[in-house]
Every structure is written in C-alpha cells, then in structure tokens.
Amino acid sequence: MATGLTTSEVTRKRAMSGPNTLPAARRPPVALLLVRQLTHFFALLLWAAALLAVLAGMPELSVAIIIVIVVNGVFAFVQEYRADRSVDRLRDLMPATAVVRRDGHRRSVPVADLVPGDVVLLEAGDRVSADLRVVSAAALAADESLLTGESVPRQVTVGEDLFAGTFVVEGAAETVVTATGGRTRLADIAAMTRQAHRPPSPLAVRLSRVVRVVAVTAVAAGVVLFGVGLMLGLTPLQGFLFALGVTVALVPEGLLPTVTLALAYGAHAMARRNALVRRLEAVETLGSVTFICTDKTGTLTCNQMTVIQVWTPNGTARVTGEGYEQHGHVDAPPAVAAQVRELAYAAFRASRGRLTPYEGGWQPHGDPMEVALHVLALRAGVDVDARAQSEPEQLWMPFDPRRLRAASLAGTTLYVKGAPEQVLADCRDEDAAQAGLQAAHAMADRGLRVLAVARRRDTAPAAAATAAELDLLGVVGLLDPPRPDVGDAIAACRRAHIDLAMITGDHPATAKALAAQVGLCGPDPLVVTGAQLPATDAALGALVDHDGVIIARVTPEQKLRIARALRARGHAVAMTGDGVNDAPALREADIGIAMGASGSDVAREAADLVLLDDHFATIVAAIETGRSTFANIRRFLTYHLTDNVAELAPFAVWALTGGSFPLAIGVLQILALDIGTDLLPALALGAEPPNPRTLTGRARTGQLIDRRLLVRAFGVLGPAEVIASLGAFTAVLLAGGWRWGDTPSAGLLAAASGTAFAAIVLGQLANAFACRSGTRPALLLDPRRNPLLLSAVAIELVLLCAFLGVPAIAATLGGSWPPPAGWALAALAIPVLLAADTLHKAVRARRITSGTAAPR
C-alpha cells in the first residue's frame, strides 16, 4: 500500500503544475454582451422605427424609442450577466473533494489541490477529478459516457487509465494522478463544450409564446389605429408613425428579463436556505411538486450514527459514548465482550468509513454508518491498525445493492457485513441465524438501523464474492435520531397537499418506527419491501400512490420504476438520492434531489437540486420558494396586462368616436409609463417573499396566463383603471368648458392629459399592492414584507412629479401639471382600483365557498 506524497512534495509539485482546475472559459467582453442586447432582431426593428421618426420630423418619438431600446437592452444585459455569474457562484458552492493518501493517512482534499503523483482512492459514486492510472482495483467499472458517448460502463483493470470527468459506478481502486487541470483529456472536451449553445428552457419557450401573443396584439392594434388615423385625416406617414409608436409602447420588451430576474431571485433565495439549483428553470418546476419520495438516512435523520447495542450468540452488549470520541465502553460480561471485539474488527474490515487523526482531533471520512463501526472497534479496545497490518487486504467487494452486503478478503479470512436477512441466510449455524434474526427485528422495532456481521476463514479470492457457509459474529444496532424539525416540515407537506413516500434500503421495521416517530405515516401504514412490488408499472403506481407509504429494501432499479409509475399517474415527482445507482431515478423524476454533504458525484450531476445540508426541511423550503416564484411571475404579468388595458383604452375610445373624444394620453406618455413608472414595481413584485399561505392547498402551476388571470387583468383591474383615468380626464375637460365634438384648447387638453396620466400611475401604484395576493385584499397585507416594493413605489411617485412638474419633460410628453381638482380626481384611482380588487376577491371567495369556483 503506497503511503502517498508528503506535504512538502505536494507543495513543490503544485508550484510546478498549478491548481487542478480547467482553464477558465474566455467570456465575451462585457461591451460585446451589451451590444448584442441592443442589436437583436426586435431591437433592429426599433432602431429602424427611430430613424423613420427622425426623417419624419418627430425627434421626440425617435428619442423615446431609443430610450426604450436602451433601457430594455441594459436591463436584459444586467440580468444575463448576473445569471451567468450566479451559476458560477452556485457551482463554486458545490462540494468538490477527493480522497487521497498523503503522509501515510487517508484524507479528503479539495479537487483543486490534486497534483501529479498523488495517490487517489476511489469508490463507487466518486467523480474522477484528474487523469489517473490504476494501481490496484476491485471490480472497477467506470462510466465514460462523457468522453465516449457509450452508456455501458467500462471494466477497468490495473495499469489502465481513468480520465477526469468520468465516474466510478462499481468497485474500488487505488490510483495515481498522471495529469491535472488543462493537461487532462477533459480540458479538450471542455473547450469544445464552450462552443455549444444551450437550448431555451420550457419556461422560456412559454414566455416567448406569451410575448409573441402580446406583440401580435400590439401590432394589430397599431394597424387598426393606422387605418382610423387615415380616416380622420392624418397623412399616411403621420398615421404610420402614430401606429408605430403605439405598437412599440405596448410590446412588453422587458418581460423575459423580468422573469429571469424572478427565477434568479428564487435560486438565490434557495441557496440561502442550503438548496442549490443546478438549472434555473427548476425553480419554477419545484413549485409544481405533488409527490416527494424521500430517503430516510441523512434526510429525515441526522446521519450521525452511533452503535448502542450489539447482539452476539453469547449475549447482548450495551455500548456507551457519543459522537466520534473514542471514550466510551462496551458494557458486557467478558465472554460477550470478547465476541464484540471480534465482531467490531470484522465490521471494520468490511467497511471503508474511517475515523482519521486531523489537527489534534478526529475527522470522520466516508459513510457515517461505517465510521460508527470504526468507533465501535475503538471503544471495544481493538487495535485495528495492528491487526490490519498482520492481515493485508487481498480483495475488496463494495456494497452490492442487490445482495445488500459488502465484504473484504484479508489474508484468507472473508469479513462480511450487510442486511441481516441476507447475511444470516448465508450463515452455517441455523439456530444462531434464527436468534440473530429475532434480535435484528427487536432492534428494528425500536427504530435502530441493523447490520449483521459474519466471517469465513480459509477463503480463496475466487470464491469470496459468492461465499456462503459464514460464521455469524452478531448483529449491530445503530441509533440515527430524526432531525429536530423534520416533523414540522412533514406537516407543512400535508398542508400543501403534497404526498410523501419513504423509500429506503433499510429494514422495514426500522423505517416504520422512524416514519411513525416523525409523523410521516399513521398508526396503520402501508409498508412494503422492494421484493413485494408488482411487476407492472400500472399496478406499481396504484400501490405506491398513497400518502405515507413506506417502501423498504429498495434497489435503484425499483426507485426508477417508482418515479416513472408516479409520473404516469399525473404526479410531479421529487425524488431524493445519494448513491451512484440513484442517478437514473433522479433523471426520471420531475425534480431530482441529490445530497450535497453525503451524496455521490454521480447523483449530484444527475440532480436538479442539491441539498447542502441533506435536510428534508430544505426540500420543503425549496418547494415553497418555487411556488412563490411561479406566483410572482403571474403577479407581474397581471400588473403589466392591467397597464396595457389602461394604455390602449384612450386610443380605442378616440378611434371608436371618430376623434370626437380627445386622445387622453399620447404615445410618449405610454412610453414614460412603461420605461419610467412601471418598471421598478414590476421588478419588486418578482421578489415578493413567500406568504404564510404559500404552502396551503395544492400547487397552482401550469399556464402562466390562464382564464383567471385574464379575467382579473382585462375584466376587473384594467377596466377600473380605465374608468378612473378617463373619468378624471373627462371631468377636467368638462370643468374647463369642453363639449362633445369640440376641440379643447391646448392648455386644457394638456392639464386633462396630465390628470389622466397621473390617474394611471396612481392606479398602477394601487395595482402593485393588489397584485401581491390573488385572494386577500391589499389593505390586509403587511407592506413591510416587501420593502423593495415600498422603495419602488416611492421612486414611482418621484418620477410622476418629474414627468408632470418639470416643464421641459412635461412639454415633451404632452401633459402638464394637473389642477388641484385634477389631482383629487387622479387620486381616486387608488380607492377605485382597490375597491374593484377587493370586490372581485370577495365574490370569488363566496363562489369558492359555494363550490362554483376552484379554490386556487
């Protein structure tokens, strides 16, 4: 066994080879990114429109169009830049360590610290972090699909190479680093990958469809108004520019970057709660989850195992001590204590988890269960290092998810540990095996995790993998307490109508005891084992589609079938996993969730969400954020569409009356609304935090724009703004002496137009607060929960005063400072809109109570 490099050798080699990182991708210059946002197809059309406006002698319209291009371009650029950098930051947070042997000790080091000549130890589930040469191997197989495209794992033998970026899917190996960083084969592939373009996400496709629909509507409105303008005596060029201005004003150019910001905000909110989103669109998908298939160990429990009881054929021992400290002892008669020592050493040899010295203390490495077995050996007084040196390992057989056992051949002795029902079936003493099985059931009924330990002497390497006729040493009971707040998280799932299933490889009695303890199941739960699952997916789906079902002794293939069967029944499935063989199930689920602290690299690569703390409550928090993000997208869509109604109505009234009713607001005023007063409140709505009712009732996801949203925007909020703004406009005209069909004086029209403009802005102010909830009146919502909205509204009011109070700006836009009565009329837009919103929500609540409307 190689001792590995010394610390001084590592330092010297790192100075020569540099960090083990891929060369950073050469990003396009920031200026080029900005230019791209200002020169895409739609932007080029707007530039052409601005040029036509200049040629037609309308520089004000040209400047306004250019402002639209620049504001939306800069905003889109900022969001793209932030999203790109946020992905890098999240990637930096991902665990990236390798197990090496240095100075004769096993230790975990950052992948970036690997140097040529390092001894790297690999097990199933590990990512290969540098180019390696295999020194010793046991049943080693690697997934090299990243390099070759071949999905079948390659069997790797001593002397062959493993390449960075591949994964160990089976077996174990000791290897030596041959190349790092930019000298690896992966570096060449990474260079080619940078040239590839990622396709748009499903959410982006849906949003693009929304933008196209709204854009087509805007163009159609422009065409109609162009025709009406010609009939009213406008020249073709004037009519064209007039229609063009309206079209430009009504197209929601900033919608996509606003949605991106909402998703990015959701991703950052999840990161603050220890959930890393690997794909931004998964933020929205999380909100639609209806079924969670969760692991037990580490997710529902603390994953801090301690052996507290050992059964041997001679009697039972109690083990004292906490955590990874070596103090503690085995409380048993001498004969039993001697057997415990043999059992503890055998369990140690059949494991890879170790407790290693580190900075004056002890550092656990590997599976917490196996570390607990090492601690048991130390507490039993076994000198594991001395005995291991006298029995060098000949063959290591990692945990087999089908046989549910792991083994090691040391010298000629085979040491085995695994599920009691599997190991005990291979033991030669049937009476002892039967007694051990009863002891295992008794421990499992108490919620302990149970393992059987056995050995066989005089075993040849060729017979080790299938060896039977084992000598039973005993059964170990390990305590892994539930996480303190997991019960509250499960209760939150129930309130959210999210069904739960525990899927574990553990003993069914252990799983049942823990599920009852945390409230996952009722007093008479459905408990099945993997062997009892139906053969057909339809029958499987019917069996497991029950809240609180417990499925024990499950293989990775069965997890994949469960995910597929539940999805076939219409569920949006979240599946947790940490092992290398869990990757197919994670990909099959709508949301694959990997463990960041204890999971394998393969599982993390396959997942959409990585839990840094491996905590079930973090999944629930992420779902809450996902639901909130979807609701936020609908909030600012409602906000945008309401404003479009208020902006289009004056032109529709002007056109329908053949010009007899003056135009309340102009094109430049619409542009001022879109790029001035409305932008910041829309962004603030995208950052609305989850409310206490977010996890109450079923998820409401699917179409971004549905009948309910359209009714609210076009049938309630929009008409309320129209009534308030056109009513105020008409009142000011009438007060100034205007009569139907007359042409008002320029001063009167400017004052009335300023009043209408103020009414729309103030109506949108109220609309921003109304859009914070789809069910509760705005006055019942605490405005302090969204401080960004308060700031946005304050800026909106400042801009309103500037647009109407600064003479040069007011003259350019076409309005003027309203008279006192005009301000009073404009202010009525706030109570009018809030009253309409409150009445609509009350009517809907009454219909829900009567059963004539859906509750969400």
Side-chain angles (χ1 to χ4, degrees):
M1 179 178 67
T3 60
L5 299 176
T6 64
T7 302
S8 59
E9 288 175 326
V10 171
T11 302
R12 178 177 57 82
K13 287 177 176 284
R14 188 179 300 122
M16 298 173 57
S17 62
N20 179 36
T21 57
L22 295 178
R26 296 188 61 182
R27 303 181 185 275
V30 172
L32 179 59
L33 292 176
L34 178 58
V35 169
R36 288 177 181 172
Q37 295 297 340
L38 299 176
T39 56
H40 56 73
F41 177 72
F42 190 73
L44 292 176
L45 292 180
L46 295 180
W47 284 115
L51 178 60
L52 288 174
V54 171
L55 296 176
M58 297 183 65
E60 298 89 352
L61 178 59
S62 177
V63 170
I65 294 174
I66 291 173
I67 291 175
V68 170
I69 299 171
V70 173
V71 168
N72 282 288
V74 169
F75 180 64
F77 157 74
V78 170
Q79 295 315 310
E80 181 184 16
Y81 183 87
R82 289 185 59 187
D84 193 30
R85 269 42 179 192
S86 68
V87 170
D88 288 346
R89 287 194 295 271
L90 294 181
R91 187 182 300 118
D92 292 340
L93 290 172
M94 294 283 288
T97 59
V99 180
V100 300
R101 188 180 293 117
R102 289 179 181 172
D103 298 314
H105 296 291
R106 291 168 60 103
R107 61 185 60 172
S108 294
V109 300
V111 165
D113 288 351
L114 292 179
V115 297
D118 251 329
V119 175
V120 179
L121 309 177
L122 297 174
E123 294 182 358
D126 289 346
R127 189 208 320 254
V128 178
S129 303
D131 285 356
L132 310 171
R133 181 149 299 150
V134 178
V135 176
S136 64
L140 183 65
D143 177 359
E144 297 183 335
S145 56
L146 175 69
L147 301 178
T148 66
E150 176 58 57
S151 60
V152 178
R154 177 175 72 94
Q155 300 297 318
V156 184
T157 59
V158 173
E160 295 186 326
D161 291 330
L162 289 170
F163 299 103
T166 60
F167 295 93
V168 177
V169 297
E170 186 177 316
E174 182 174 305
T175 64
V176 174
V177 175
T178 58
T180 60
R183 290 169 292 279
T184 62
R185 187 174 173 186
L186 179 63
D188 297 332
I189 295 178
M192 292 186 292
T193 303
R194 296 188 198 109
Q195 302 173 7
H197 297 283
R198 181 177 297 170
S201 70
L203 178 61
V205 172
R206 279 191 288 170
L207 287 169
S208 297
R209 187 180 302 119
V210 170
V211 171
R212 285 197 301 271
V213 170
V214 177
V216 168
T217 303
V219 171
V223 170
V224 171
L225 291 174
F226 173 72
V228 173
L230 292 181
M231 290 188 294
L232 294 177
L234 296 180
T235 67
L237 181 58
Q238 290 174 328
F240 170 74
L241 292 175
F242 174 67
L244 178 64
V246 173
T247 302
V248 170
L250 295 181
V251 171
E253 301 95 341
L255 181 60
L256 285 177
T258 306
V259 171
T260 301
L261 176 64
L263 294 175
Y265 182 87
H268 284 286
M270 291 182 187
R272 289 194 297 269
R273 303 173 82 168
N274 290 318
L276 300 186
V277 179
R278 299 189 67 249
R279 283 171 279 277
L280 204 57
E281 60 270 20
V283 173
E284 185 254 348
T285 308
L286 270 163
S288 65
V289 167
T290 61
F291 206 111
I292 300 176
C293 299
T294 178
D295 284 333
K296 177 183 73 69
T297 303
T299 308
L300 299 177
T301 67
C302 296
N303 205 19
Q304 296 174 355
M305 298 191 193
T306 304
V307 178
I308 65 171
Q309 184 176 355
V310 178
W311 174 91
T312 73
N314 286 344
T316 301
R318 186 171 62 91
V319 184
T320 62
E322 296 182 358
Y324 296 133
E325 297 297 327
Q326 295 185 37
H327 63 262
H329 68 282
V330 175
D331 184 8
V336 176
Q339 275 202 324
V340 170
R341 285 191 288 273
E342 291 301 308
L343 175 148
Y345 175 72
F348 167 82
R349 292 309 301 259
S351 303
R352 279 294 184 264
R354 295 291 185 265
L355 196 65
T356 57
Y358 182 72
E359 295 183 354
W362 297 90
Q363 180 186 46
H365 169 74
D367 188 331
M369 179 194 68
E370 296 187 341
V371 174
L373 296 176
H374 187 185
V375 173
L376 170 65
L378 297 175
R379 288 174 178 166
V382 181
D383 189 345
V384 291
D385 291 332
R387 289 191 61 174
Q389 288 180 1
S390 65
E391 278 188 320
E393 186 173 79
Q394 305 296 320
L395 182 64
W396 164 246
M397 287 155 284
F399 180 77
D400 185 335
R402 295 164 188 81
R403 300 193 70 191
L404 299 178
R405 67 187 231 181
S408 172
L409 180 63
T412 60
T413 303
L414 180 70
Y415 297 101
V416 180
K417 77 170 193 307
E421 60 268 30
Q422 297 291 330
V423 174
L424 296 175
D426 290 332
C427 290
R428 70 176 84 227
D429 188 333
E430 295 184 1
D431 292 338
Q434 184 62 34
L437 193 59
Q438 293 176 358
H441 285 314
M443 293 181 189
D445 288 338
R446 294 169 50 203
L448 300 183
R449 188 168 187 178
V450 290
L451 287 172
V453 182
R455 70 184 175 194
R456 175 179 166 175
R457 302 187 186 279
D458 300 323
T459 304
T466 58
E469 297 296 311
L470 305 175
D471 295 319
L472 177 62
L473 295 176
V475 176
V476 176
L478 301 102
L479 176 65
D480 186 11
R483 293 183 180 269
D485 55 352
V486 72
D488 294 337
I490 289 174
C493 288
R494 298 276 156 68
R495 292 193 300 272
H497 292 206
I498 298 173
D499 292 338
L500 300 172
M502 179 192 290
I503 301 181
T504 177
D506 214 335
H507 193 286
T510 302
K512 178 181 176 181
L514 179 77
Q517 188 176 355
V518 300
L520 187 143
C521 67
D524 188 22
L526 173 62
V527 182
V528 296
T529 64
Q532 297 169 332
L533 296 178
T536 66
D537 285 354
L540 175 62
L543 175 67
V544 302
D545 190 4
H546 292 89
D547 185 32
V549 64
I550 300 167
I551 312 170
R553 297 303 192 207
V554 175
T555 66
E557 293 83 358
Q558 290 165 341
K559 288 184 71 170
L560 173 63
R561 288 189 58 217
I562 291 169
R564 183 180 298 136
L566 289 173
R567 291 189 66 201
R569 292 176 66 86
H571 281 290
V573 179
M575 174 74 73
T576 68
D578 55 7
V580 58
N581 292 319
D582 288 332
L586 298 183
R587 292 192 183 98
E588 176 67 30
D590 296 277
I591 290 290
I593 303 173
M595 305 298 111
S598 61
S600 67
D601 291 329
V602 179
R604 287 194 287 264
E605 284 293 318
D608 303 289
L609 186 74
V610 179
L611 305 184
L612 288 183
D613 56 2
D614 294 4
H615 197 337
F616 180 81
T618 304
I619 301 175
V620 180
I623 291 175
E624 180 184 44
T625 303
R627 285 192 178 190
S628 177
T629 300
F630 183 84
N632 288 348
I633 295 174
R634 288 174 56 87
R635 286 185 178 107
F636 58 68
L637 278 174
T638 305
Y639 182 82
H640 276 303
L641 294 178
T642 300
D643 191 36
N644 281 358
V645 174
E647 292 170 348
L648 265 179
F651 292 90
V653 172
W654 173 79
L656 292 173
T657 61
S660 297
F661 188 86
L663 189 60
I665 58 174
V667 171
L668 296 182
Q669 288 171 305
I670 292 178
L671 292 175
L673 288 169
D674 286 346
I675 65 176
T677 60
D678 277 358
L679 188 60
L680 292 179
L683 296 179
L685 285 173
E688 179 75 19
N691 62 61
R693 299 179 65 252
T694 300
L695 284 178
T696 300
R698 297 188 183 280
R700 190 177 185 278
T701 57
Q703 293 297 323
L704 289 173
I705 296 181
D706 56 11
R707 181 178 179 275
R708 179 183 172 189
L709 187 148
L710 292 175
V711 167
R712 190 176 180 204
F714 292 151
V716 179
L717 300 176
E721 260 188 40
V722 170
I723 292 171
S725 59
L726 291 186
F729 175 76
T730 304
V732 172
L733 286 179
L734 292 174
W738 172 81
R739 295 295 178 266
W740 184 268
D742 292 348
T743 300
S745 65
L748 177 60
L749 181 60
S753 182
T755 300
F757 181 84
I760 294 176
V761 172
L762 295 177
Q764 282 295 92
L765 182 152
N767 185 29
F769 288 97
C771 288
R772 291 184 63 203
S773 173
T775 57
R776 301 181 67 200
L779 296 178
L780 298 182
L781 302 174
D782 184 356
R784 295 171 298 179
R785 294 194 71 248
N786 191 342
L788 290 178
L789 184 57
L790 295 177
S791 301
V793 165
I795 295 173
E796 183 179 20
L797 292 175
V798 171
L799 289 174
L800 172 61
C801 294
F803 289 157
L804 295 177
V806 178
I809 298 177
T812 300
L813 296 180
S816 66
W817 190 267
W823 277 113
L825 291 169
L828 287 176
I830 296 177
V832 167
L833 190 134
L834 293 179
D837 178 65
T838 301
L839 179 61
H840 172 68
K841 290 172 179 175
V843 170
R844 180 169 176 78
R846 190 173 297 114
R847 292 181 59 205
I848 292 173
T849 303
S850 65
T852 59
R856 291 185 65 84

